[in-house]
Amino acid sequence: MYLVTAREMREMDRKTIEEFGLPGQLLMENAGRKALDMLFDHFQDMVSKKIGILVGRGNNGGDGLVMARYLLQMGKKVTTFVLTSRDKIKGDALSNLILLETLCQKKEGDHLFFIPDNDTFETFRARICMHDLFVDGMLGTGLNTPVRGFFKEVITAVNATNSPILSLDIPSGLDADTGMPLGICIKATATATFGFAKAGLFLGEGRQFTGHLGVMDIGIPDYIANQPPPRLHVTESPCIESLFPPRNTHDHKGTWGHVLIIAGSRGKSGAAILAANAAVAAGTGLVTLGIPQAINDIVETATLEAMTAPLDSGGKTYLTLAALDPLMKLSQDKSTLALGPGLGTHEKTQKFVTALVKESDLPLILDADGLNCIAHDPSILKQRKAPTILTPHPGEMAQLTGLSTQEIQADRLGVARQFAATYNVTLVLKGAGTLTALPDGTTFFCPTGNPGMASGGMGDVLTGIIAGLTAQGMAPADAAQAGTFLHGACGDFLTQTKGPWGFKASDLITALPGIFLKLTQANGQDT
């Protein structure tokens, strides 16, 4: 499944109409009919009650006018409120308005009203709010400025009724690309989106406004839908299952890679421990944890399966350039390097990290303090010859880009894609709906994970998982996508079995083998 931006969807519609020859009015008819099917499927106990259809002047409103016509023909208690003056409706939407007007003339009662301004809305407010079920066709995917005027009043009033709402294509007021509400937004019970799901239905705050999502096929040909540009994909379980080949009976620990993790400092030894133990649980053959010599006794007792490599930093409890040469020798027979969890950001550590990033020719997973140590000059990433995966949370992303955290969150997709392309890295932008962006713009949305994972150490576990998968031979882009999916799936399992409060990052490590078992069984592998 992939998601589209508003521009991409408009281009698909244009090509379908102009190049394929499918009339726009037929696309609108298909959309209205499919949304009607969803209305009956999802609101079976409501369709015999009072239905209020709210439409604007664009194609989104035209879809609602199609629904109104069919509902009226069926004898349902439906009233349509057109939130503009009649003369402003054009094109295919006007054609459907004329059909509805003709039908209304044959029916008893008042079924169609025009509300062009706030004063008119105030006279209709009570009447609108009395409906038991709403269809929202007010503002479509073209909206990119805050909701203004009486539309703001209408959305506020409809949300306040607490009646169920079916939104058409996208909840009115939601940015179709970022998933951020543009001032105010309809809180839909369900959304019928047309052609393909819009990115904003998943990104940002989109999922909490979308409700149950139905993706409606309206007749866009496959050859148009499958053309570039790069897509935003939703990572799905079958895609992840296919990335894990069965293990052979003659395999041994040397078969499945050797991760070198450079992590830890005084007060942050736990981050190093979590990353190492997660790499082990991810199925890595061998894991070596490079740490400041001063914290080795603490770390060694908590990483029974991983080996430790105490690095001399002149007696310091953080790593310095003194550790670089021994570390380069240590890395010669390793498969993957992970750098950052709990390292600290001392000035001498920054110099060490910068040098290691430049000199290492291993695939690199850079996280946490490793990111903070290069934030003053991320251009060093361009000097790397081997694949590089970055796993920032929004605060770390802000440090890397010079943007504010709010700006990052307001356009997660755009920021992730631009950074990945600029620095030729795979970027895992963590958070609700983690994104994995590749240098060519292809991006993956992770549907797993939940708020119960909002606690310290979760990112260190993710680093270990991705590093472990990369060491086992998985392509870095696949390892990043699979790692985020597995990480979130562990959190979802723990929420289901323990509840959303109180589970720890280390609990994810314990849950990981069971998640692997589900994936391999689904892929038909013997256990």
Side-chain angles (χ1 to χ4, degrees):
M1 176 182 180
Y2 63 78
L3 312 178
V4 297
T5 64
R7 183 191 61 79
E8 290 168 351
M9 193 68 243
R10 283 194 300 270
E11 185 65 8
M12 287 187 198
D13 286 340
R14 184 193 66 78
K15 288 181 177 180
T16 300
I17 295 168
E18 296 179 7
E19 298 178 13
F20 185 65
L22 194 65
Q25 191 166 349
L26 182 55
L27 287 177
M28 190 172 287
E29 186 79 7
N30 290 345
R33 288 290 300 268
K34 289 295 182 72
L36 187 69
D37 291 340
M38 185 172 175
L39 186 77
F40 277 87
D41 289 343
H42 200 76
F43 302 98
Q44 293 180 17
D45 58 337
M46 300 296 296
V47 292
S48 62
K49 298 183 180 181
K50 295 179 181 178
I51 304 172
I53 299 183
L54 302 161
V55 302
R57 67 184 186 183
N59 288 343
N60 187 249
D63 302 330
L65 294 172
V66 172
M67 294 183 68
R69 169 163 42 96
Y70 280 104
L71 287 166
L72 198 56
Q73 286 178 317
M74 295 174 184
K76 301 301 180 184
K77 301 172 185 176
V78 58
T79 306
T80 302
F81 301 92
V82 182
L83 303 178
T84 187
S85 56
R86 191 185 187 284
D87 63 292
K88 291 185 178 179
I89 301 179
K90 309 292 182 183
D92 297 325
L94 177 59
S95 299
N96 277 295
L97 175 61
I98 293 170
L99 290 174
L100 180 60
E101 288 175 325
T102 301
L103 184 60
C104 287
Q105 292 171 6
K106 309 296 182 182
K107 298 285 185 179
E108 295 183 2
D110 297 322
H111 302 284
L112 178 64
F113 298 94
F114 291 90
I115 304 177
D117 52 44
N118 192 65
D119 290 341
T120 309
F121 167 65
E122 288 302 330
T123 66
F124 278 92
R125 179 190 287 268
R127 182 165 187 167
I128 291 173
C129 292
M130 66 183 285
H131 288 85
D132 303 298
L133 171 65
F134 289 98
V135 174
D136 159 37
M138 293 182 282
L139 303 170
T141 60
L143 183 70
N144 55 20
T145 58
V147 178
R148 296 187 296 267
F150 73 96
F151 278 96
K152 183 176 181 179
E153 296 298 321
V154 175
I155 292 174
T156 301
V158 171
N159 281 341
T161 66
N162 292 318
S163 295
I165 304 169
L166 173 67
S167 284
L168 302 181
D169 214 18
I170 196 163
S172 289
L174 188 68
D175 188 300
D177 292 346
T178 69
M180 301 303 290
L182 292 164
I184 191 170
C185 180
I186 281 288
K187 191 169 180 59
T189 312
T191 298
T193 198
F194 306 125
F196 296 91
K198 313 308 178 287
L201 297 172
F202 287 78
L203 301 179
E205 300 177 24
R207 286 184 288 178
Q208 64 180 294
F209 290 99
T210 299
H212 175 80
L213 179 63
V215 182
M216 310 287 111
D217 179 4
I218 59 172
I220 294 173
D222 287 344
Y223 82 90
I224 290 176
N226 293 330
Q227 289 178 4
R231 298 300 185 196
L232 170 59
H233 300 261
V234 177
T235 300
E236 297 178 285
S237 187
C239 298
I240 301 303
E241 294 160 9
S242 66
L243 297 176
F244 292 93
R247 295 199 167 192
N248 299 313
T249 55
H250 60 272
D251 287 348
H252 53 83
K253 62 186 178 182
T255 307
W256 292 100
H258 193 159
V259 170
L260 175 60
I261 300 174
I262 309 303
S265 60
R266 184 172 63 182
K268 297 182 178 180
S269 58
I273 293 165
L274 287 169
N277 288 342
V280 171
T284 315
L286 293 165
V287 178
T288 295
L289 181 56
I291 49 176
Q293 190 175 50
I295 66 170
N296 184 70
D297 290 348
I298 298 170
V299 173
E300 199 168 32
T301 58
T303 53
L304 301 181
E305 292 84 4
M307 298 171 282
T308 64
L311 299 169
D312 185 11
S313 287
K316 304 295 185 182
T317 56
Y318 50 84
L319 293 177
T320 70
L321 281 171
L324 183 61
D325 288 342
L327 185 55
M328 293 303 295
K329 293 178 182 178
L330 182 65
S331 66
Q332 289 177 359
D333 62 343
K334 306 302 186 293
S335 311
T336 299
L337 174 65
L339 175 64
L343 270 181
T345 56
H346 191 279
E347 181 181 354
K348 293 183 178 180
T349 303
Q350 292 183 33
K351 292 179 179 179
F352 162 76
V353 169
T354 299
L356 182 57
V357 169
K358 289 179 179 179
E359 294 187 25
S360 174
D361 58 1
L362 291 175
L364 172 66
I365 293 83
L366 192 60
D367 180 38
D369 286 335
L371 297 169
N372 294 328
C373 284
I374 68 159
H376 66 286
D377 184 19
S379 66
I380 66 170
L381 296 168
K382 297 179 180 180
Q383 301 177 32
R384 286 190 46 77
K385 302 296 189 292
T388 307
I389 301 172
L390 274 61
T391 61
H393 58 55
E396 292 159 349
M397 196 72 212
Q399 292 290 323
L400 287 167
T401 60
L403 300 172
S404 68
T405 302
Q406 291 74 23
E407 289 172 317
I408 299 294
Q409 293 294 75
D411 187 17
R412 287 170 57 83
L413 177 60
V415 170
R417 279 179 165 169
Q418 182 176 356
F419 193 95
T422 299
Y423 295 101
N424 193 34
V425 298
T426 296
L427 185 85
V428 177
L429 181 54
K430 297 183 289 195
T434 292
L435 294 173
T436 300
L438 308 187
D440 68 356
T442 302
T443 310
F444 300 92
F445 170 89
C446 181
T448 61
N450 60 80
M453 300 172 70
S455 65
M458 295 289 175
D460 305 316
V461 172
L462 178 61
T463 297
I465 294 173
I466 295 175
L469 297 179
T470 305
Q472 293 171 62
M474 195 175 286
D478 290 339
Q481 183 189 175
T484 58
F485 186 92
L486 291 166
H487 183 255
C490 289
D492 291 343
F493 170 76
L494 291 167
T495 293
Q496 294 164 6
T497 55
K498 293 191 173 186
W501 286 274
F503 62 82
K504 310 179 297 298
S506 56
D507 293 330
L508 266 66
I509 298 172
T510 304
L512 191 55
I515 300 301
F516 273 120
L517 178 61
K518 289 182 179 180
L519 285 173
T520 53
Q521 286 179 333
N523 197 29
Q525 297 182 26
D526 294 332
T527 58

